[in-house]
Amino acid sequence: MTEHEMLRFMSGFTQKLLIWGSDDVVLQWSKYRNMFVNEDNPDTMKTMLQMEQLLIAIRKDTGHKNKEHKRGDILKLFINDVDRYL
């Protein structure tokens, strides 16, 4: 994905989120997005953990309880060695 395509995706996602996302999803998206806008070189682990918080908020917004999830559980679904960094 080119930088231009990424910017278009993020802009479109933000617009849709403002209409359809819960308060918590909007807050978590804002935190995640601001990490890239306000930090020259964001910490990779911090970024991944914030993305996990966003995904948990999206799951909650769609009706999932997320009661049994521990930090890193969602990340393990697509990052094989996340345990090395937690």
Side-chain angles (χ1 to χ4, degrees):
M1 186 177 271
T2 67
E3 184 177 348
H4 177 71
E5 291 170 331
M6 179 67 81
L7 290 173
R8 284 186 59 197
F9 169 79
M10 291 184 82
S11 175
F13 185 77
T14 300
Q15 290 174 10
K16 292 173 185 165
L17 192 67
L18 285 172
I19 295 169
W20 300 107
S22 68
D23 291 346
D24 191 37
V25 172
V26 171
L27 175 66
Q28 295 303 327
W29 171 252
S30 177
K31 288 179 180 180
Y32 182 70
R33 185 184 168 283
N34 283 332
M35 292 180 83
F36 296 103
V37 173
N38 296 325
E39 296 181 25
D40 291 332
N41 192 14
D43 177 79
T44 302
M45 193 65 221
K46 186 177 172 184
T47 302
M48 288 190 304
L49 291 171
Q50 185 58 51
M51 180 179 66
E52 182 175 54
Q53 290 304 307
L54 172 62
L55 294 173
I56 289 170
I58 291 170
R59 286 180 46 82
K60 183 178 178 186
D61 196 26
T62 58
H64 299 283
K65 301 291 184 206
N66 298 315
K67 289 182 179 183
E68 301 297 321
H69 295 293
K70 296 181 292 297
R71 187 172 129 186
D73 284 350
I74 301 293
L75 293 175
K76 289 177 188 178
L77 296 174
F78 49 93
I79 302 173
N80 295 332
D81 62 346
V82 75
D83 284 329
R84 287 180 31 190
Y85 302 99
L86 293 175

